[in-house]
Amino acid sequence: MEINLTKKIYAHISAIGGYVPENKRTNHDLELITDTSDEWIVKRTGIKERRILEEGLATSDMAVNAIKNLIETYNKDINDVDAIIVATSTPDMLMPSTANIICGKLGIENVWAFDINAACSGFLYALDMGASLVETNRYKNVLVVGADKISAYVNINDRSTNILFGDGAGVVWLEPTKEIGVIDALLLSNGTGKEFLNIEGGGSLYPPSQDSLEKEKTYIKQDGKVVFKNAINAMSHTCLDVLDKNNLSVSDINWLVPHQANKRIIDAVGKEINIEENKTLINIEHYGNTIAATIPLCIWENSSKLKKGDLLMLTAFGAGFSWGASLLRWTI
Ligand code: UT7
């Protein structure tokens, strides 16, 4: 049988959803716990508050709420889904995967479901993976989730991290199209940054133990300055490289959606690539850094601004280091 190579199938986003927990942790709350101030946090990070998931609930619960939000908003049928990819660094458990747990909570089966851990770049990795599945024509409806309960790993007494992180989940539904939707991505990883941003404990190197607890290995730790500089450099270069690869220029971009880690990083990337300020989507003020959830949450919150056909450039940077940039046409 001959394969018709002329009928290229693309993936496009046909629906989007999001969820953040009700409970807020404000800068004023943190002033009561550590030596910091609302003024310092806003000036140095752009963050005013973050959302914190209650104890007893996990990453999958936020993901399920985001998926339910998508289904209700776009009138989708969960039974049509044939693959679920969850980008997370904070799975409910080491096994089974959070994607698998989500299937159980949604009551679906016959779904290929798995997690991807690429830290703060996870959503972009998962989006590219999901788009690739759709392009094979073997998967027609793929959910790509970015979700993290990073508050479970934040040392509330550590002002170098407690000001930055919050919990949340975002999801997109990918489907096949003959028009282009997801265009391209450059996703990279170098393994040189693990000492500068990590959660060491709980894995096979430092399994859960009294020693790990005493050495505080279960907390997220970072050298903010090193991460900051690398983030600006890597995101700016990759944005320009992915544009170049696709014969596009910055002026073609309608919206830049950067990972929301620090407003100063976002501003610096915008300046480096020379994009007009009002083209950058930002929601860090209310949620802080929600790891793999920042990009889908930011698009979801701003989706009323987006027009069909708009060109979006997404870019992220995170632990490892891992980073990347993706290009897509908005098709909703
Ligand atoms: O998703 C990727 C992961 N993470 C990131 O991308 C985060 C990257 N890094 C950052 O966002 C920033 O480096 C931080 C927000 C973490 C820190 O900002 P900074 O401008 O790099 O501050 P710094 O560490 O250079 O500290 C400046 C000053 C110091 O005081 P002195 O030595 O100048 O007197 C710190 O002790 O600010 C002090 N400081 C604080 N003051 C109040 C540091 N943290 C705080 C704080 N509240 N929370």
Side-chain angles (χ1 to χ4, degrees), residues 62-73:
M62 294 189 293
V64 164
N65 285 336
I67 294 167
K68 285 182 175 165
N69 168 267
L70 176 152
I71 286 170
E72 278 161 27
T73 313

Side-chain angles (χ1 to χ4, degrees), residues 35-36 40 44-45 120 159-160 163-164 197 222 224-225 227-228 259 261-262 264-265 289 317-318:
D35 179 17
T36 192
W40 191 96
R44 308 297 280 194
T45 71
C120 296
R159 71 176 185 173
S160 71
I163 58 166
L164 297 172
L197 177 54
Q222 77 163 339
K225 272 194 186 314
V227 178
F228 190 96
H259 172 52
N262 185 317
R264 288 189 295 139
I265 295 177
N289 182 348
F317 181 88

Side-chain angles (χ1 to χ4, degrees), residues 11-116:
H12 79 120
I13 294 176
S14 63
I16 186 161
Y19 172 79
V20 286
E22 294 277 307
N23 182 29
K24 292 178 185 173
R25 181 180 287 162
T26 66
N27 290 350
H28 297 294
D29 295 334
L30 292 170
E31 281 175 343
L32 303 175
I33 298 168
T34 37
D35 179 17
T36 192
S37 66
D38 174 54
E39 192 195 352
W40 191 96
I41 302 170
V42 171
K43 197 166 155 217
R44 308 297 280 194
T45 71
I47 304 167
K48 287 199 83 67
E49 60 192 26
R50 326 95 198 109
R51 301 300 180 96
I52 307 296
L53 188 66
E54 66 191 85
E55 273 184 39
L57 295 179
T59 296
S60 68
D61 295 298
M62 294 189 293
V64 164
N65 285 336
I67 294 167
K68 285 182 175 165
N69 168 267
L70 176 152
I71 286 170
E72 278 161 27
T73 313
Y74 293 90
N75 202 20
K76 293 281 193 185
D77 184 349
I78 191 67
N79 295 304
D80 290 337
V81 170
D82 32 36
I84 301 182
I85 309 173
V86 178
T88 187
S89 305
T90 56
D92 292 21
M93 305 173 183
L94 281 185
M95 62 169 150
S97 71
T98 304
N100 174 281
I101 293 170
I102 290 169
C103 291
K105 288 185 176 171
L106 291 171
I108 50 172
E109 51 185 48
N110 300 327
V111 173
W112 192 30
F114 61 98
D115 294 355
I116 284 183

Side-chain angles (χ1 to χ4, degrees), residues 171-276:
V171 57
V172 297
W173 185 301
L174 294 176
E175 281 183 61
T177 174
K178 293 278 161 56
E179 307 299 318
I180 205 155
V182 178
I183 301 171
D184 198 10
L186 262 182
L187 299 163
L188 304 161
S189 206
N190 64 11
T192 62
K194 77 176 192 306
E195 69 193 271
F196 304 113
L197 177 54
N198 59 43
I199 303 171
E200 288 183 314
S204 56
L205 183 59
Y206 300 110
S209 65
Q210 196 55 36
D211 188 52
S212 285
L213 277 178
E214 279 164 14
K215 290 182 178 151
E216 302 198 331
K217 287 192 180 296
T218 50
Y219 290 133
I220 186 165
K221 290 190 198 79
Q222 77 163 339
D223 181 333
K225 272 194 186 314
V226 176
V227 178
F228 190 96
K229 279 189 200 140
N230 278 278
I232 296 168
N233 189 35
M235 286 196 281
S236 310
H237 280 102
T238 316
C239 283
L240 296 176
D241 287 349
V242 80
L243 283 173
D244 196 40
K245 188 170 165 238
N246 289 277
N247 296 318
L248 292 162
S249 62
V250 173
S251 58
D252 294 314
I253 301 295
N254 298 98
W255 303 103
L256 173 68
V257 192
H259 172 52
Q260 312 280 309
N262 185 317
K263 172 80 163 50
R264 288 189 295 139
I265 295 177
I266 295 171
D267 291 345
V269 170
K271 222 168 156 193
E272 280 289 315
I273 67 168
N274 200 17
I275 194 163
E276 289 165 54

